[in-house]
Amino acid sequence: QIKEYSYFFEKTTSDLSKMLDSINPKKINKLIYTSSSSIYGSIDKNILLEDNFNRKLYGSVKLTCERLIQNFSTKNKLNFVIARIFNMYGEGDNTSIISKILNIKKYKKKLRINNYGQSVRDFVFVDDVAKIYKNLLKNSHSGNIDIGNGYGVKIKDIIDNLSLNKKQFI
């Protein structure tokens, strides 16, 4: 939930724009921007009618940031990578849906699950993302890439497979 819109936009598009303005393109070889799979479906004529407005807003802002990186890189003839990471999880994580589901049992809290858990997500382990970034730094690839494992899992199936108490999900 966005609490301060000015802060949200300052930390996304405004700070990125200031950073790009400060870069001397002759001193770098490649830009790698970490984006999000949320950009898919972020532009929708019904955006204001959606229950998940903040997710769509986040995706739209990420898409705007991608365009800033692409524009800057093209203008300055730089290699760039837009890495669209799907649902990342891993050790020490406390923000992903995976960690939230796992913490349900531990903290005996309730978790709001949209769409009755029918949402399908592509998950990727943080160590795999680190390996991919290491390879991106070494090679000359330029453009957009999706980072995920390539197959989807329903949130409901994760909950069912972990045999969690259904009453903890709203």
Side-chain angles (χ1 to χ4, degrees), residues 67-109:
R67 297 299 183 251
L68 287 170
I69 294 290
Q70 289 171 324
N71 184 280
F72 178 85
S73 300
T74 302
K75 177 181 160 191
N76 292 291
K77 297 180 174 97
L78 288 172
N79 277 355
F80 70 94
V81 173
I82 305 291
R84 295 174 177 157
I85 300 177
F86 283 71
N87 297 271
M88 187 167 47
Y89 68 96
E91 187 177 337
D93 165 36
N94 62 4
T95 58
S96 74
I97 189 68
I98 296 290
S99 67
K100 289 175 182 175
I101 290 170
L102 293 174
N103 285 332
I104 285 294
K105 202 172 209 173
K106 184 176 179 182
Y107 297 114
K108 300 193 185 335
K109 290 185 175 182

mmCIF file of all heavy atoms in Angstrom, residues 67-109:
data_model
loop_
_atom_site.group_PDB
_atom_site.id
_atom_site.type_symbol
_atom_site.label_atom_id
_atom_site.label_comp_id
_atom_site.label_asym_id
_atom_site.label_seq_id
_atom_site.Cartn_x
_atom_site.Cartn_y
_atom_site.Cartn_z
ATOM 1 N N ARG A 67 11.794 2.527 -19.781
ATOM 2 C CA ARG A 67 11.873 3.410 -20.949
ATOM 3 C C ARG A 67 12.959 4.469 -20.755
ATOM 4 O O ARG A 67 13.644 4.845 -21.711
ATOM 5 C CB ARG A 67 10.519 4.084 -21.232
ATOM 6 C CG ARG A 67 9.415 3.118 -21.592
ATOM 7 C CD ARG A 67 9.739 2.329 -22.869
ATOM 8 N NE ARG A 67 8.656 1.460 -23.236
ATOM 9 C CZ ARG A 67 8.684 0.142 -23.144
ATOM 10 N NH1 ARG A 67 9.754 -0.463 -22.694
ATOM 11 N NH2 ARG A 67 7.657 -0.584 -23.515
ATOM 12 N N LEU A 68 13.116 4.970 -19.537
ATOM 13 C CA LEU A 68 14.199 5.927 -19.259
ATOM 14 C C LEU A 68 15.561 5.284 -19.517
ATOM 15 O O LEU A 68 16.430 5.891 -20.155
ATOM 16 C CB LEU A 68 14.116 6.419 -17.804
ATOM 17 C CG LEU A 68 12.992 7.386 -17.470
ATOM 18 C CD1 LEU A 68 12.894 7.584 -15.962
ATOM 19 C CD2 LEU A 68 13.196 8.714 -18.180
ATOM 20 N N ILE A 69 15.751 4.052 -19.040
ATOM 21 C CA ILE A 69 17.016 3.335 -19.248
ATOM 22 C C ILE A 69 17.247 3.089 -20.742
ATOM 23 O O ILE A 69 18.343 3.331 -21.264
ATOM 24 C CB ILE A 69 17.018 1.987 -18.485
ATOM 25 C CG1 ILE A 69 16.984 2.214 -16.981
ATOM 26 C CG2 ILE A 69 18.191 1.115 -18.902
ATOM 27 C CD1 ILE A 69 18.247 2.792 -16.384
ATOM 28 N N GLN A 70 16.232 2.628 -21.437
ATOM 29 C CA GLN A 70 16.362 2.361 -22.880
ATOM 30 C C GLN A 70 16.699 3.626 -23.652
ATOM 31 O O GLN A 70 17.572 3.622 -24.517
ATOM 32 C CB GLN A 70 15.076 1.744 -23.431
ATOM 33 C CG GLN A 70 14.848 0.329 -22.965
ATOM 34 C CD GLN A 70 13.473 -0.197 -23.347
ATOM 35 O OE1 GLN A 70 12.486 0.538 -23.352
ATOM 36 N NE2 GLN A 70 13.403 -1.483 -23.653
ATOM 37 N N ASN A 71 16.014 4.709 -23.322
ATOM 38 C CA ASN A 71 16.245 5.970 -24.009
ATOM 39 C C ASN A 71 17.674 6.463 -23.770
ATOM 40 O O ASN A 71 18.378 6.840 -24.711
ATOM 41 C CB ASN A 71 15.220 7.017 -23.545
ATOM 42 C CG ASN A 71 15.352 8.310 -24.290
ATOM 43 O OD1 ASN A 71 16.222 9.126 -23.974
ATOM 44 N ND2 ASN A 71 14.491 8.525 -25.269
ATOM 45 N N PHE A 72 18.103 6.460 -22.521
ATOM 46 C CA PHE A 72 19.447 6.908 -22.170
ATOM 47 C C PHE A 72 20.502 6.040 -22.859
ATOM 48 O O PHE A 72 21.473 6.553 -23.431
ATOM 49 C CB PHE A 72 19.636 6.852 -20.648
ATOM 50 C CG PHE A 72 21.008 7.247 -20.199
ATOM 51 C CD1 PHE A 72 21.328 8.581 -20.007
ATOM 52 C CD2 PHE A 72 21.984 6.291 -19.972
ATOM 53 C CE1 PHE A 72 22.602 8.952 -19.592
ATOM 54 C CE2 PHE A 72 23.257 6.645 -19.563
ATOM 55 C CZ PHE A 72 23.568 7.983 -19.368
ATOM 56 N N SER A 73 20.310 4.735 -22.815
ATOM 57 C CA SER A 73 21.282 3.806 -23.392
ATOM 58 C C SER A 73 21.371 3.936 -24.909
ATOM 59 O O SER A 73 22.460 3.947 -25.480
ATOM 60 C CB SER A 73 20.938 2.366 -23.010
ATOM 61 O OG SER A 73 20.959 2.228 -21.610
ATOM 62 N N THR A 74 20.238 4.046 -25.557
ATOM 63 C CA THR A 74 20.215 4.190 -27.016
ATOM 64 C C THR A 74 20.879 5.501 -27.426
ATOM 65 O O THR A 74 21.712 5.530 -28.334
ATOM 66 C CB THR A 74 18.762 4.118 -27.539
ATOM 67 O OG1 THR A 74 18.203 2.868 -27.137
ATOM 68 C CG2 THR A 74 18.713 4.257 -29.045
ATOM 69 N N LYS A 75 20.507 6.567 -26.752
ATOM 70 C CA LYS A 75 21.069 7.891 -27.041
ATOM 71 C C LYS A 75 22.596 7.902 -26.894
ATOM 72 O O LYS A 75 23.297 8.525 -27.685
ATOM 73 C CB LYS A 75 20.438 8.919 -26.099
ATOM 74 C CG LYS A 75 20.965 10.317 -26.212
ATOM 75 C CD LYS A 75 20.272 11.209 -25.198
ATOM 76 C CE LYS A 75 21.076 12.450 -24.943
ATOM 77 N NZ LYS A 75 20.577 13.202 -23.808
ATOM 78 N N ASN A 76 23.099 7.156 -25.900
ATOM 79 C CA ASN A 76 24.535 7.158 -25.611
ATOM 80 C C ASN A 76 25.264 5.925 -26.141
ATOM 81 O O ASN A 76 26.419 5.694 -25.802
ATOM 82 C CB ASN A 76 24.755 7.296 -24.097
ATOM 83 C CG ASN A 76 24.339 8.662 -23.613
ATOM 84 O OD1 ASN A 76 24.981 9.653 -23.924
ATOM 85 N ND2 ASN A 76 23.235 8.720 -22.873
ATOM 86 N N LYS A 77 24.563 5.120 -26.950
ATOM 87 C CA LYS A 77 25.142 3.925 -27.571
ATOM 88 C C LYS A 77 25.767 2.979 -26.533
ATOM 89 O O LYS A 77 26.892 2.518 -26.683
ATOM 90 C CB LYS A 77 26.166 4.311 -28.636
ATOM 91 C CG LYS A 77 25.544 5.087 -29.782
ATOM 92 C CD LYS A 77 26.577 5.460 -30.819
ATOM 93 C CE LYS A 77 25.926 6.094 -32.003
ATOM 94 N NZ LYS A 77 25.895 7.507 -32.066
ATOM 95 N N LEU A 78 24.996 2.727 -25.475
ATOM 96 C CA LEU A 78 25.439 1.838 -24.396
ATOM 97 C C LEU A 78 24.682 0.519 -24.458
ATOM 98 O O LEU A 78 23.493 0.493 -24.789
ATOM 99 C CB LEU A 78 25.143 2.461 -23.029
ATOM 100 C CG LEU A 78 25.981 3.635 -22.591
ATOM 101 C CD1 LEU A 78 25.417 4.226 -21.310
ATOM 102 C CD2 LEU A 78 27.425 3.210 -22.387
ATOM 103 N N ASN A 79 25.364 -0.572 -24.108
ATOM 104 C CA ASN A 79 24.665 -1.832 -23.877
ATOM 105 C C ASN A 79 23.840 -1.678 -22.610
ATOM 106 O O ASN A 79 24.290 -1.052 -21.647
ATOM 107 C CB ASN A 79 25.655 -2.979 -23.692
ATOM 108 C CG ASN A 79 26.132 -3.553 -24.993
ATOM 109 O OD1 ASN A 79 25.665 -3.175 -26.060
ATOM 110 N ND2 ASN A 79 27.072 -4.469 -24.910
ATOM 111 N N PHE A 80 22.664 -2.244 -22.622
ATOM 112 C CA PHE A 80 21.825 -2.217 -21.421
ATOM 113 C C PHE A 80 21.059 -3.518 -21.326
ATOM 114 O O PHE A 80 20.811 -4.185 -22.328
ATOM 115 C CB PHE A 80 20.857 -1.027 -21.432
ATOM 116 C CG PHE A 80 19.762 -1.159 -22.450
ATOM 117 C CD1 PHE A 80 18.527 -1.694 -22.096
ATOM 118 C CD2 PHE A 80 19.948 -0.751 -23.757
ATOM 119 C CE1 PHE A 80 17.513 -1.824 -23.032
ATOM 120 C CE2 PHE A 80 18.942 -0.865 -24.700
ATOM 121 C CZ PHE A 80 17.714 -1.405 -24.345
ATOM 122 N N VAL A 81 20.707 -3.863 -20.107
ATOM 123 C CA VAL A 81 19.863 -5.024 -19.868
ATOM 124 C C VAL A 81 18.746 -4.578 -18.934
ATOM 125 O O VAL A 81 18.995 -3.967 -17.899
ATOM 126 C CB VAL A 81 20.641 -6.200 -19.238
ATOM 127 C CG1 VAL A 81 19.699 -7.321 -18.835
ATOM 128 C CG2 VAL A 81 21.719 -6.696 -20.180
ATOM 129 N N ILE A 82 17.534 -4.881 -19.339
ATOM 130 C CA ILE A 82 16.369 -4.716 -18.476
ATOM 131 C C ILE A 82 16.041 -6.127 -17.994
ATOM 132 O O ILE A 82 15.607 -6.966 -18.775
ATOM 133 C CB ILE A 82 15.156 -4.139 -19.236
ATOM 134 C CG1 ILE A 82 15.484 -2.828 -19.946
ATOM 135 C CG2 ILE A 82 13.947 -4.014 -18.299
ATOM 136 C CD1 ILE A 82 15.729 -1.653 -19.070
ATOM 137 N N ALA A 83 16.289 -6.397 -16.724
ATOM 138 C CA ALA A 83 16.062 -7.725 -16.148
ATOM 139 C C ALA A 83 14.711 -7.716 -15.434
ATOM 140 O O ALA A 83 14.552 -7.098 -14.382
ATOM 141 C CB ALA A 83 17.183 -8.082 -15.178
ATOM 142 N N ARG A 84 13.738 -8.377 -16.035
ATOM 143 C CA ARG A 84 12.397 -8.454 -15.465
ATOM 144 C C ARG A 84 12.306 -9.710 -14.606
ATOM 145 O O ARG A 84 12.113 -10.809 -15.108
ATOM 146 C CB ARG A 84 11.351 -8.478 -16.570
ATOM 147 C CG ARG A 84 11.323 -7.189 -17.351
ATOM 148 C CD ARG A 84 10.391 -7.266 -18.518
ATOM 149 N NE ARG A 84 10.338 -5.985 -19.209
ATOM 150 C CZ ARG A 84 9.983 -5.847 -20.468
ATOM 151 N NH1 ARG A 84 9.635 -6.907 -21.178
ATOM 152 N NH2 ARG A 84 9.969 -4.657 -21.021
ATOM 153 N N ILE A 85 12.458 -9.511 -13.316
ATOM 154 C CA ILE A 85 12.501 -10.633 -12.383
ATOM 155 C C ILE A 85 11.083 -11.005 -11.969
ATOM 156 O O ILE A 85 10.270 -10.154 -11.616
ATOM 157 C CB ILE A 85 13.348 -10.288 -11.150
ATOM 158 C CG1 ILE A 85 14.776 -9.965 -11.596
ATOM 159 C CG2 ILE A 85 13.331 -11.425 -10.142
ATOM 160 C CD1 ILE A 85 15.682 -9.537 -10.490
ATOM 161 N N PHE A 86 10.829 -12.301 -12.017
ATOM 162 C CA PHE A 86 9.532 -12.792 -11.574
ATOM 163 C C PHE A 86 9.576 -12.937 -10.053
ATOM 164 O O PHE A 86 10.356 -12.255 -9.406
ATOM 165 C CB PHE A 86 9.184 -14.077 -12.332
ATOM 166 C CG PHE A 86 8.709 -13.780 -13.735
ATOM 167 C CD1 PHE A 86 9.586 -13.318 -14.708
ATOM 168 C CD2 PHE A 86 7.379 -13.925 -14.068
ATOM 169 C CE1 PHE A 86 9.151 -13.010 -15.984
ATOM 170 C CE2 PHE A 86 6.930 -13.611 -15.348
ATOM 171 C CZ PHE A 86 7.815 -13.155 -16.304
ATOM 172 N N ASN A 87 8.802 -13.742 -9.445
ATOM 173 C CA ASN A 87 8.645 -13.797 -7.993
ATOM 174 C C ASN A 87 9.873 -14.415 -7.332
ATOM 175 O O ASN A 87 9.983 -15.632 -7.231
ATOM 176 C CB ASN A 87 7.376 -14.576 -7.654
ATOM 177 C CG ASN A 87 6.154 -13.873 -8.176
ATOM 178 O OD1 ASN A 87 5.576 -13.046 -7.503
ATOM 179 N ND2 ASN A 87 5.765 -14.188 -9.407
ATOM 180 N N MET A 88 10.764 -13.559 -6.862
ATOM 181 C CA MET A 88 12.020 -14.014 -6.264
ATOM 182 C C MET A 88 11.802 -14.343 -4.784
ATOM 183 O O MET A 88 11.051 -13.678 -4.084
ATOM 184 C CB MET A 88 13.087 -12.919 -6.406
ATOM 185 C CG MET A 88 14.455 -13.365 -5.967
ATOM 186 S SD MET A 88 15.796 -12.241 -6.473
ATOM 187 C CE MET A 88 15.193 -10.645 -6.042
ATOM 188 N N TYR A 89 12.490 -15.380 -4.347
ATOM 189 C CA TYR A 89 12.429 -15.778 -2.944
ATOM 190 C C TYR A 89 13.793 -16.314 -2.541
ATOM 191 O O TYR A 89 14.629 -16.619 -3.392
ATOM 192 C CB TYR A 89 11.350 -16.853 -2.714
ATOM 193 C CG TYR A 89 11.696 -18.177 -3.364
ATOM 194 C CD1 TYR A 89 12.302 -19.186 -2.623
ATOM 195 C CD2 TYR A 89 11.459 -18.403 -4.716
ATOM 196 C CE1 TYR A 89 12.645 -20.391 -3.225
ATOM 197 C CE2 TYR A 89 11.796 -19.598 -5.317
ATOM 198 C CZ TYR A 89 12.393 -20.591 -4.565
ATOM 199 O OH TYR A 89 12.742 -21.771 -5.162
ATOM 200 N N GLY A 90 14.029 -16.414 -1.241
ATOM 201 C CA GLY A 90 15.292 -16.969 -0.778
ATOM 202 C C GLY A 90 15.526 -16.701 0.695
ATOM 203 O O GLY A 90 14.703 -16.090 1.382
ATOM 204 N N GLU A 91 16.684 -17.146 1.157
ATOM 205 C CA GLU A 91 17.046 -17.015 2.563
ATOM 206 C C GLU A 91 17.044 -15.549 2.995
ATOM 207 O O GLU A 91 17.532 -14.685 2.284
ATOM 208 C CB GLU A 91 18.445 -17.613 2.785
ATOM 209 C CG GLU A 91 18.830 -17.685 4.228
ATOM 210 C CD GLU A 91 20.185 -18.356 4.429
ATOM 211 O OE1 GLU A 91 20.604 -19.130 3.556
ATOM 212 O OE2 GLU A 91 20.805 -18.078 5.450
ATOM 213 N N GLY A 92 16.467 -15.289 4.156
ATOM 214 C CA GLY A 92 16.404 -13.935 4.689
ATOM 215 C C GLY A 92 15.279 -13.090 4.098
ATOM 216 O O GLY A 92 15.090 -11.949 4.478
ATOM 217 N N ASP A 93 14.526 -13.666 3.196
ATOM 218 C CA ASP A 93 13.433 -12.967 2.521
ATOM 219 C C ASP A 93 12.252 -12.821 3.465
ATOM 220 O O ASP A 93 11.887 -13.755 4.163
ATOM 221 C CB ASP A 93 13.054 -13.790 1.287
ATOM 222 C CG ASP A 93 11.725 -13.403 0.676
ATOM 223 O OD1 ASP A 93 11.397 -12.198 0.690
ATOM 224 O OD2 ASP A 93 11.033 -14.301 0.175
ATOM 225 N N ASN A 94 11.671 -11.635 3.506
ATOM 226 C CA ASN A 94 10.461 -11.460 4.304
ATOM 227 C C ASN A 94 9.384 -10.680 3.547
ATOM 228 O O ASN A 94 8.433 -10.201 4.147
ATOM 229 C CB ASN A 94 10.763 -10.805 5.648
ATOM 230 C CG ASN A 94 11.348 -9.420 5.486
ATOM 231 O OD1 ASN A 94 11.462 -8.902 4.378
ATOM 232 N ND2 ASN A 94 11.730 -8.807 6.585
ATOM 233 N N THR A 95 9.550 -10.543 2.227
ATOM 234 C CA THR A 95 8.577 -9.777 1.453
ATOM 235 C C THR A 95 7.876 -10.594 0.371
ATOM 236 O O THR A 95 6.825 -10.175 -0.105
ATOM 237 C CB THR A 95 9.238 -8.560 0.787
ATOM 238 O OG1 THR A 95 10.302 -9.007 -0.060
ATOM 239 C CG2 THR A 95 9.790 -7.600 1.824
ATOM 240 N N SER A 96 8.425 -11.701 -0.040
ATOM 241 C CA SER A 96 7.802 -12.477 -1.113
ATOM 242 C C SER A 96 6.569 -13.217 -0.595
ATOM 243 O O SER A 96 6.409 -13.431 0.609
ATOM 244 C CB SER A 96 8.789 -13.502 -1.692
ATOM 245 O OG SER A 96 8.962 -14.579 -0.788
ATOM 246 N N ILE A 97 5.718 -13.622 -1.522
ATOM 247 C CA ILE A 97 4.534 -14.404 -1.140
ATOM 248 C C ILE A 97 4.957 -15.735 -0.512
ATOM 249 O O ILE A 97 4.300 -16.228 0.409
ATOM 250 C CB ILE A 97 3.564 -14.600 -2.340
ATOM 251 C CG1 ILE A 97 2.242 -15.230 -1.875
ATOM 252 C CG2 ILE A 97 4.196 -15.433 -3.436
ATOM 253 C CD1 ILE A 97 1.402 -14.364 -1.010
ATOM 254 N N ILE A 98 6.069 -16.285 -0.962
ATOM 255 C CA ILE A 98 6.573 -17.546 -0.384
ATOM 256 C C ILE A 98 6.883 -17.351 1.098
ATOM 257 O O ILE A 98 6.445 -18.135 1.944
ATOM 258 C CB ILE A 98 7.825 -18.042 -1.139
ATOM 259 C CG1 ILE A 98 7.497 -18.384 -2.582
ATOM 260 C CG2 ILE A 98 8.475 -19.208 -0.418
ATOM 261 C CD1 ILE A 98 6.636 -19.612 -2.769
ATOM 262 N N SER A 99 7.640 -16.292 1.431
ATOM 263 C CA SER A 99 7.987 -16.082 2.843
ATOM 264 C C SER A 99 6.745 -15.767 3.671
ATOM 265 O O SER A 99 6.634 -16.198 4.818
ATOM 266 C CB SER A 99 9.022 -14.968 2.985
ATOM 267 O OG SER A 99 8.479 -13.722 2.622
ATOM 268 N N LYS A 100 5.813 -15.036 3.094
ATOM 269 C CA LYS A 100 4.589 -14.711 3.830
ATOM 270 C C LYS A 100 3.778 -15.965 4.128
ATOM 271 O O LYS A 100 3.251 -16.128 5.230
ATOM 272 C CB LYS A 100 3.762 -13.693 3.056
ATOM 273 C CG LYS A 100 4.405 -12.319 3.043
ATOM 274 C CD LYS A 100 3.635 -11.352 2.172
ATOM 275 C CE LYS A 100 4.344 -10.011 2.137
ATOM 276 N NZ LYS A 100 3.694 -9.073 1.216
ATOM 277 N N ILE A 101 3.703 -16.860 3.164
ATOM 278 C CA ILE A 101 2.976 -18.118 3.379
ATOM 279 C C ILE A 101 3.686 -18.958 4.436
ATOM 280 O O ILE A 101 3.052 -19.509 5.340
ATOM 281 C CB ILE A 101 2.819 -18.896 2.053
ATOM 282 C CG1 ILE A 101 1.829 -18.170 1.142
ATOM 283 C CG2 ILE A 101 2.370 -20.335 2.312
ATOM 284 C CD1 ILE A 101 1.768 -18.710 -0.273
ATOM 285 N N LEU A 102 5.008 -19.045 4.338
ATOM 286 C CA LEU A 102 5.768 -19.841 5.313
ATOM 287 C C LEU A 102 5.682 -19.260 6.721
ATOM 288 O O LEU A 102 5.695 -20.004 7.703
ATOM 289 C CB LEU A 102 7.225 -19.963 4.875
ATOM 290 C CG LEU A 102 7.459 -20.789 3.608
ATOM 291 C CD1 LEU A 102 8.933 -20.714 3.193
ATOM 292 C CD2 LEU A 102 7.027 -22.231 3.798
ATOM 293 N N ASN A 103 5.580 -17.932 6.815
ATOM 294 C CA ASN A 103 5.513 -17.294 8.132
ATOM 295 C C ASN A 103 4.131 -17.346 8.771
ATOM 296 O O ASN A 103 3.980 -17.061 9.949
ATOM 297 C CB ASN A 103 5.989 -15.838 8.042
ATOM 298 C CG ASN A 103 7.489 -15.758 7.919
ATOM 299 O OD1 ASN A 103 8.211 -16.632 8.389
ATOM 300 N ND2 ASN A 103 7.957 -14.717 7.266
ATOM 301 N N ILE A 104 3.117 -17.739 8.005
ATOM 302 C CA ILE A 104 1.756 -17.865 8.544
ATOM 303 C C ILE A 104 1.743 -18.780 9.763
ATOM 304 O O ILE A 104 1.196 -18.444 10.806
ATOM 305 C CB ILE A 104 0.796 -18.401 7.455
ATOM 306 C CG1 ILE A 104 0.485 -17.313 6.449
ATOM 307 C CG2 ILE A 104 -0.482 -18.957 8.038
ATOM 308 C CD1 ILE A 104 -0.294 -16.161 7.000
ATOM 309 N N LYS A 105 2.337 -19.933 9.599
ATOM 310 C CA LYS A 105 2.356 -20.921 10.675
ATOM 311 C C LYS A 105 3.177 -20.403 11.864
ATOM 312 O O LYS A 105 2.770 -20.507 13.016
ATOM 313 C CB LYS A 105 2.955 -22.223 10.145
ATOM 314 C CG LYS A 105 2.576 -23.437 10.923
ATOM 315 C CD LYS A 105 3.059 -24.679 10.206
ATOM 316 C CE LYS A 105 2.158 -25.837 10.515
ATOM 317 N NZ LYS A 105 2.485 -27.009 9.727
ATOM 318 N N LYS A 106 4.313 -19.816 11.555
ATOM 319 C CA LYS A 106 5.240 -19.348 12.584
ATOM 320 C C LYS A 106 4.635 -18.240 13.456
ATOM 321 O O LYS A 106 4.751 -18.261 14.668
ATOM 322 C CB LYS A 106 6.516 -18.856 11.905
ATOM 323 C CG LYS A 106 7.606 -18.417 12.828
ATOM 324 C CD LYS A 106 8.835 -18.048 12.018
ATOM 325 C CE LYS A 106 9.965 -17.581 12.883
ATOM 326 N NZ LYS A 106 11.132 -17.184 12.095
ATOM 327 N N TYR A 107 3.989 -17.262 12.825
ATOM 328 C CA TYR A 107 3.490 -16.096 13.557
ATOM 329 C C TYR A 107 1.991 -16.135 13.833
ATOM 330 O O TYR A 107 1.451 -15.219 14.445
ATOM 331 C CB TYR A 107 3.846 -14.814 12.797
ATOM 332 C CG TYR A 107 5.331 -14.615 12.688
ATOM 333 C CD1 TYR A 107 5.965 -14.673 11.450
ATOM 334 C CD2 TYR A 107 6.114 -14.380 13.818
ATOM 335 C CE1 TYR A 107 7.329 -14.501 11.332
ATOM 336 C CE2 TYR A 107 7.477 -14.208 13.721
ATOM 337 C CZ TYR A 107 8.079 -14.264 12.473
ATOM 338 O OH TYR A 107 9.428 -14.090 12.365
ATOM 339 N N LYS A 108 1.320 -17.182 13.359
ATOM 340 C CA LYS A 108 -0.115 -17.358 13.598
ATOM 341 C C LYS A 108 -0.922 -16.106 13.222
ATOM 342 O O LYS A 108 -1.781 -15.655 13.965
ATOM 343 C CB LYS A 108 -0.381 -17.759 15.038
ATOM 344 C CG LYS A 108 0.291 -19.061 15.411
ATOM 345 C CD LYS A 108 -0.223 -19.592 16.709
ATOM 346 C CE LYS A 108 0.464 -20.818 17.215
ATOM 347 N NZ LYS A 108 1.117 -21.712 16.385
ATOM 348 N N LYS A 109 -0.591 -15.541 12.053
ATOM 349 C CA LYS A 109 -1.317 -14.383 11.535
ATOM 350 C C LYS A 109 -2.177 -14.829 10.366
ATOM 351 O O LYS A 109 -2.108 -15.965 9.923
ATOM 352 C CB LYS A 109 -0.337 -13.314 11.048
ATOM 353 C CG LYS A 109 0.431 -12.637 12.155
ATOM 354 C CD LYS A 109 1.282 -11.529 11.580
ATOM 355 C CE LYS A 109 1.975 -10.762 12.687
ATOM 356 N NZ LYS A 109 2.754 -9.657 12.161
#
